[in-house]
Amino acid sequence: MTVPNILTMIRILLIPVFMICAADNNPVTDLAAVIIFCVASITDFVDGRLARKNNQVTNFGKFMDPLADKLLVMSALLIFVERGTVPAWAAVVILGREFAVTSLRMVAAAEGKVIAANMWGKAKTATTMVCLIVLLIRVPPIKLFGWITIQDVLVWLMVIVTVISGYTYIKDNFSVIRDGFTQKGE
């Protein structure tokens, strides 16, 4: 097994530990959850770079790396929905985008096409990770205007960038979807 694939597996193994720590409500486990989430997020950044740099891109990595990313984000979102920090509708929008783009990539891959990450996808990842880390730190709500807090703004920013990202992937690759409506040979 390659180092990038080992890092991906470590990220997956960290997810239940992260969830246990994040679900507990005490300062020690809160700190552990933040550290685990940050370490898991860093492995996501490092594994892909290492795989490309060392020519160790594998089918296992192509499948498991995005799955590990989705599981990490989904686990954090579920914790925040349970806490009442993130509204359920926001989590559904974010997860819906993840499933839609992943499905689009799978259909494209079956046709021999690769849908690479674009600027909005990278912005979505960065925005999501920053927002989730800030929420994990459990900073008391900082009010900006009336009832609107910095945490609210971060959640809205995460959702907006996620929607824009999903839109750009679908718009830029609509031919993959359109081709599914017509049968080959017609």
Side-chain angles (χ1 to χ4, degrees):
M1 186 169 275
T2 66
V3 171
N5 289 344
I6 291 169
L7 290 172
T8 298
M9 291 307 300
I10 288 170
R11 187 163 66 256
I12 291 170
L13 294 172
L14 286 174
I15 292 169
V17 179
F18 160 73
M19 289 192 76
I20 290 166
C21 291
D24 196 16
N25 193 14
N26 81 56
V28 174
T29 55
D30 284 349
L31 177 60
V34 171
I35 292 168
I36 292 166
F37 189 86
C38 289
V39 167
S41 296
I42 290 167
T43 66
D44 177 33
F45 176 76
V46 172
D47 66 1
R49 293 219 186 258
L50 281 176
R52 288 184 295 278
K53 178 184 175 194
N54 298 327
N55 198 25
Q56 294 180 323
V57 175
T58 64
N59 286 335
F60 176 85
K62 288 179 192 175
F63 176 73
M64 291 305 290
D65 182 61
L67 179 62
D69 301 343
K70 271 76 175 149
L71 289 171
L72 180 63
V73 169
M74 182 174 60
S75 66
L77 286 172
L78 289 174
I79 293 289
F80 295 133
V81 168
E82 186 176 282
R83 285 184 191 170
T85 312
V86 172
W89 67 264
V92 169
V93 167
I94 293 163
L95 295 175
R97 180 266 182 216
E98 296 298 335
F99 289 122
V101 171
T102 298
S103 298
L104 181 65
R105 282 188 165 133
M106 289 172 61
V107 171
E111 296 175 3
K113 299 174 186 172
V114 175
I115 298 176
N118 66 23
M119 175 193 77
W120 283 106
K122 292 175 183 182
K124 185 267 315 171
T125 299
T127 305
T128 299
M129 293 309 169
V130 168
C131 179
L132 296 179
I133 289 168
V134 168
L135 294 176
L136 278 170
I137 293 172
R138 291 194 195 222
V139 174
I142 301 166
K143 293 192 181 204
L144 296 176
F145 334 99
W147 56 270
I148 298 174
T149 66
I150 287 178
Q151 290 87 337
D152 295 329
V153 171
L154 286 173
V155 169
W156 273 100
L157 182 62
M158 178 175 61
V159 170
I160 290 167
V161 173
T162 296
V163 169
I164 292 169
S165 167
Y167 170 77
T168 62
Y169 278 105
I170 291 170
K171 177 183 70 72
D172 293 348
N173 299 284
F174 192 73
S175 63
V176 172
I177 298 168
R178 185 181 57 238
D179 292 349
F181 287 114
T182 60
Q183 285 188 330
K184 301 217 186 259
E186 282 187 10

